[in-house]
Amino acid sequence: PEVLDWAGWRGPRATTMSGAGLLLRGLLRLRRTEPRTAATLCRRIFSLAAPVVASSRHLHHLGPGAPPTTTEATEAWWRRAYASDAVDAGLGEIIEVQSMKDFQSLAEASKSAPIILDFYADWCGPCKTLSPKLDQAAKASKKFNVAKIDVEAQDLAPLVQHLKISSLPTLMVLFDGQIIANSVVVGVPDDGKFAAYVKMIEGLEASKAAAEGEGEGGPAAAEGEEPKPDFKAIITEHMGKLSGEGVSKDVVAEAARAFSGVLSHEASELGDAVRAKVGLAMCALKEGNADVARQLARSAEGDCAENQKFGELEALKAQLDFIEQGGAGSVSEAQARVDADPGDLEALHDLATALFAEGRSREALDAALEIVRKDKTWNDEAGRKLLVKLFDLLGKDDDLVRVYRQKLSNVLFI
């Protein structure tokens, strides 16, 4: 009844059509006005009642091009009929690919949103572990779709062979009609690596537009060629924004999109990719996710040539080491201890470490300076040493470092 209400269908044959016939007729009408709802219902119907629908004596009411009357053929027909609508209607969709025609429709749909290709087999245990994580991430993010591809489906054998799928599960990203470089993941990644992978994908669509916009007003490209974005300038600009005080969520999201765009662009160089991963790690730290930042830092380090060093990467690694050694826990926990006993310098030390881990540099420096004010010699001058460590991590050119060096001198010597 809900399908018919949504579809707005009423007719003299409503009393003579079977339930399955009414359902199919309603779905066909609904597809024109509510394609996403129709696609969802179609998948649900065939997961529960494909034999009933396929055996309906009233399929002819659908008119020319009605599906065949066997269960398997009918389900395949409806899946194909709704495949493009499922992609176009919204993001966070889980799409079943059953033929090369289905895959071709994905290539077109990927021009508006990324699609993760999930290659699996029913007998594959790790596939069953990864699949629900992937589906949940897509539905939560709403920034990409997931396409399921059974490697044992005969109709898809040419695709599997062309992409050289030899291990399961295998993931790769289809965006703007092509497979994204460095997007292939084989096996089940741990939670940190998986989160980093999702973060990279989430920024692809917006970063593409941002990267294209960077070319405007730049050096003229040869006729018929797109100007190459200035990746170094893009990365430096957004790293600078992340280094400031009071960085908003919007700034972090914008930076993540820009870094993801650099990683996905075919014209980016190795050094650009390393710095972009460092940038994504900085975004993760701003969001309080040190585990994802560590995974990205390791990935960036793995991309470096022998004896190749990047200052931003080394600074990131030092910051992550500092956070790991600090073991202060959350800001709320440390703040609660300080509130309960303002004289607890250990709690104040933990608070400074936790604040710095969340990218709240000024507050971290204030907390560390307060330790020195209360007791310069506490724990072998731990307050002063913490400040010096924070100065090193922030860099000598940081405005905060200049300000707080002067404040430390005032406390120590005046």
Side-chain angles (χ1 to χ4, degrees):
E2 289 84 357
V3 172
L4 296 178
D5 288 341
W6 286 326
W9 183 84
R10 295 290 186 274
R13 289 180 293 185
T15 56
T16 60
M17 290 179 68
S18 68
L22 283 168
L23 191 60
L24 292 171
R25 180 68 175 268
L27 275 172
L28 195 62
R29 287 292 188 91
L30 178 61
R31 186 181 178 214
R32 300 172 188 169
T33 55
E34 296 284 347
R36 187 173 183 177
T37 302
T40 301
L41 285 172
C42 182
R43 288 193 297 273
R44 181 65 174 163
I45 288 164
F46 278 105
S47 69
L48 298 175
V52 176
V53 176
S55 63
S56 170
R57 294 179 293 106
H58 297 278
L59 288 174
H60 67 277
H61 286 297
L62 293 173
T69 55
T70 65
T71 301
E72 295 78 12
T74 301
E75 180 173 0
W77 187 90
W78 276 95
R79 285 188 185 279
R80 284 197 298 274
Y82 282 91
S84 60
D85 285 335
V87 177
D88 294 339
L91 298 176
E93 294 283 350
I94 312 302
I95 307 156
E96 295 287 346
V97 178
Q98 297 191 339
S99 69
M100 291 303 296
K101 183 178 178 181
D102 289 351
F103 184 76
Q104 290 166 0
S105 71
L106 292 183
E108 183 63 29
S110 73
K111 294 180 180 179
S112 60
I115 300 174
I116 299 180
L117 305 180
D118 177 16
F119 292 88
Y120 75 98
D122 289 337
W123 49 261
C124 171
C127 298
K128 296 175 182 178
T129 299
L130 178 60
S131 183
K133 290 177 60 176
L134 192 60
D135 297 354
Q136 183 178 4
K139 291 174 182 177
S141 172
K142 298 292 185 185
K143 293 183 180 179
F144 58 87
N145 295 317
V146 175
K148 305 286 187 180
I149 302 175
D150 186 349
V151 298
E152 295 195 325
Q154 287 187 343
D155 290 346
L156 297 172
L159 175 65
V160 174
Q161 293 171 4
H162 174 71
L163 295 177
K164 299 179 180 179
I165 306 299
S166 57
S167 300
L168 297 177
T170 292
L171 304 179
M172 58 183 68
V173 180
L174 181 66
F175 182 53
D176 202 21
Q178 60 185 343
I179 301 298
I180 295 296
N182 301 321
S183 71
V184 179
V185 172
V186 178
V188 182
D190 60 35
D191 289 345
K193 186 173 291 187
F194 182 75
Y197 186 69
V198 169
K199 191 174 187 66
M200 182 271 291
I201 296 167
E202 287 178 335
L204 286 177
E205 184 178 355
S207 62
K208 175 189 173 186
E212 289 174 349
E214 292 293 334
E216 297 178 5
E223 187 176 353
E225 293 182 5
E226 292 185 6
K228 178 182 175 181
D230 187 349
F231 295 119
K232 291 179 175 59
I234 294 171
I235 294 170
T236 300
E237 176 190 356
H238 287 284
M239 281 186 170
K241 291 180 178 179
L242 291 173
S243 300
E245 278 295 298
V247 180
S248 68
K249 291 182 179 179
D250 290 341
V251 170
V252 174
E254 181 186 2
R257 289 193 293 268
F259 297 138
S260 296
V262 173
L263 285 173
S264 64
H265 202 291
E266 60 183 8
S268 62
E269 300 174 358
L270 181 60
D272 299 326
V274 171
R275 295 184 69 217
K277 288 181 180 179
V278 172
L280 282 174
M282 293 171 65
C283 292
L285 282 178
K286 288 293 184 183
E287 294 172 344
N289 199 331
D291 289 338
V292 173
R294 289 190 189 94
Q295 289 289 345
L296 287 163
R298 293 190 193 106
S299 178
E301 190 171 22
D303 289 343
C304 294
E306 188 175 358
N307 298 324
Q308 186 180 28
K309 298 290 184 181
F310 289 85
E312 293 127 337
L313 176 58
E314 295 306 310
L316 172 66
K317 288 163 57 181
Q319 184 177 2
L320 290 170
D321 288 343
F322 170 77
I323 293 170
E324 188 170 4
Q325 292 167 9
S330 70
V331 170
S332 58
E333 291 172 350
Q335 185 65 62
R337 289 164 54 203
V338 172
D339 292 342
D341 182 3
D344 186 348
L345 299 186
E346 185 69 36
L348 198 56
H349 191 282
D350 288 348
L351 177 61
T353 304
L355 286 166
F356 191 79
E358 288 192 3
R360 297 160 65 177
S361 303
R362 184 183 295 274
E363 294 171 86
L365 292 169
D366 281 334
L369 187 64
E370 186 63 19
I371 297 173
V372 181
R373 286 197 181 100
K374 289 179 180 292
D375 188 343
K376 297 181 180 67
T377 62
W378 173 76
N379 196 18
D380 194 21
E381 298 186 77
R384 182 188 64 80
K385 290 179 179 178
L386 176 58
L387 277 167
V388 172
K389 181 68 174 177
L390 296 182
F391 294 158
D392 290 341
L393 292 171
L394 289 170
K396 63 180 181 180
D397 296 327
D398 192 286
D399 291 339
L400 284 176
V401 172
R402 288 192 285 269
V403 171
Y404 279 83
R405 279 193 187 280
Q406 184 61 52
K407 288 186 176 183
L408 177 60
S409 296
N410 292 342
V411 172
L412 289 174
F413 305 117
I414 298 179

